[in-house]
Amino acid sequence: MRFFRPRGRSDAERMAGTPVGEAQALYEAGRYAEAEAASLAVARSRPRDDEYAAVALNFAALAAGAQGRHSESLATYDEALAAFSRTFGADHWLTLKLRSDRAQQRISLGQHAECEAECRAIIEAASRGAGPEWSVLTAAARNGLVFALNAQGRHQEAEALARESLADYPERNRGALVLRLGLARSLNGQARHEEALTEARRSGKLYRSLPEHQRTPDVGAVELVSAAALLGLRRTPDARRQAVAAHDACLASFGPDHRRTVEARTLLEHMDGTRA
């Protein structure tokens, strides 16, 4: 079976009519609680070694994380990883992609060094593969590594990796979007706010050009890095408008406990405290 092809139709369209088709369509539509419930229903109703059960656990983990339930998401990823290893093999690109997604969930739990180590291992494993799937995998793991480096305050390393990754991955898709957002974060971390704002604007243009199903996971992300850049430039009213937009969008899409919602709320509290 050829799940998650990197080009063409959405995953939901490719999986229509399969046992996981409904769950994937719900996830792509941003209906995360329903997607999680549908995914778990499939996973629990099928044999232990069934490939659809494994893929359903992946969707359940993604959906739990999108609702801000990061610890539960990581636990489901652990279950999914065991299923993927049994079903597809430990070295299959799908298993490695699941490991990349799992590693990036650890960022939301403050496990930045662990995410870094895992993403580096996945990048090394992906270097031995060839074809579009492996290119997508490499870009995903590099994005996780950029985020982990930024989270540890290693912004120059993050910038260098993001620029290298964008040069190696010229696609105009969600993979390029998240790498560009990571670059903007690295520039904000170095107080290069004008450059960060330029990258945020480029990210916004790319975001708006993507199909709706590719935009859903990154709701509020462009506004959040824009707000940080504007605040660094002391354009506080503009920064606040962007932070409010990010917070409201993330709250509506992901709920109050999602990492991005919390980040936007913290930024707003910082601005209010500074103003007071």
Side-chain angles (χ1 to χ4, degrees), residues 12-166:
E13 291 172 316
R14 287 188 291 273
M15 294 186 189
T18 72
V20 293
E22 179 186 5
Q24 178 67 354
L26 289 167
Y27 179 80
E28 288 194 353
R31 295 163 61 180
Y32 299 122
E34 295 169 79
E36 183 182 11
S39 298
L40 289 174
V42 171
R44 305 313 182 206
S45 67
R46 301 185 72 85
R48 180 173 178 267
D49 293 328
D50 181 86
E51 57 193 0
Y52 285 117
V55 174
L57 285 170
N58 182 26
F59 294 155
L62 286 166
Q67 295 171 79
R69 296 185 3 252
H70 302 298
S71 294
E72 292 173 60
S73 175
L74 189 61
T76 305
Y77 270 122
D78 289 342
E79 188 177 355
L81 181 57
F84 268 60
S85 297
R86 288 194 307 269
T87 304
F88 302 111
D91 297 325
H92 194 282
W93 77 271
L94 281 172
T95 306
L96 294 170
K97 178 62 169 65
L98 180 75
R99 283 177 58 188
S100 174
D101 292 342
R102 177 183 176 276
Q104 293 179 57
Q105 194 64 222
R106 301 182 81 162
I107 292 173
S108 301
L109 297 169
Q111 299 174 14
H112 306 135
E114 293 87 346
C115 176
E116 176 186 355
E118 181 73 339
C119 287
R120 288 191 187 279
I122 295 163
I123 292 167
E124 171 62 25
S127 70
R128 298 190 287 272
E133 299 95 339
W134 296 91
S135 176
V136 170
L137 172 62
T138 298
R142 283 181 170 183
N143 170 61
L145 181 52
V146 168
F147 209 112
L149 292 170
N150 275 325
Q152 295 174 81
R154 293 156 60 188
H155 302 298
Q156 290 181 327
E157 293 176 66
E159 179 191 359
L161 179 61
R163 291 192 187 280
E164 176 188 347
S165 301
L166 285 164

Side-chain angles (χ1 to χ4, degrees), residues 162-246:
R163 291 192 187 280
E164 176 188 347
S165 301
L166 285 164
D168 291 344
Y169 190 73
E171 305 284 350
R172 289 184 56 81
N173 58 15
R174 183 174 178 249
L177 172 66
V178 294
L179 285 167
R180 194 162 292 283
L181 288 167
L183 174 57
R185 283 179 174 272
S186 74
L187 295 168
N188 272 327
Q190 297 174 71
R192 292 160 56 188
H193 302 299
E194 197 69 60
E195 294 173 75
L197 187 58
T198 297
E199 289 299 334
R201 287 170 176 160
R202 289 173 179 163
S203 299
K205 183 177 180 180
L206 176 54
Y207 177 85
R208 292 187 292 273
S209 74
L210 296 177
E212 184 176 356
H213 72 271
Q214 288 191 27
R215 295 197 302 266
T216 305
D218 299 301
V219 165
V222 172
E223 292 84 353
L224 192 53
V225 295
S226 298
L230 289 163
L231 184 61
L233 294 169
R234 300 186 180 182
R235 294 169 54 182
T236 305
D238 292 336
R240 197 175 205 291
R241 279 191 290 272
Q242 289 289 313
V244 168

Side-chain angles (χ1 to χ4, degrees), residues 1-26:
M1 299 180 64
R2 294 169 70 81
F3 294 115
F4 313 124
R5 304 302 297 172
R7 301 177 188 271
R9 299 174 299 162
S10 75
D11 292 333
E13 291 172 316
R14 287 188 291 273
M15 294 186 189
T18 72
V20 293
E22 179 186 5
Q24 178 67 354
L26 289 167

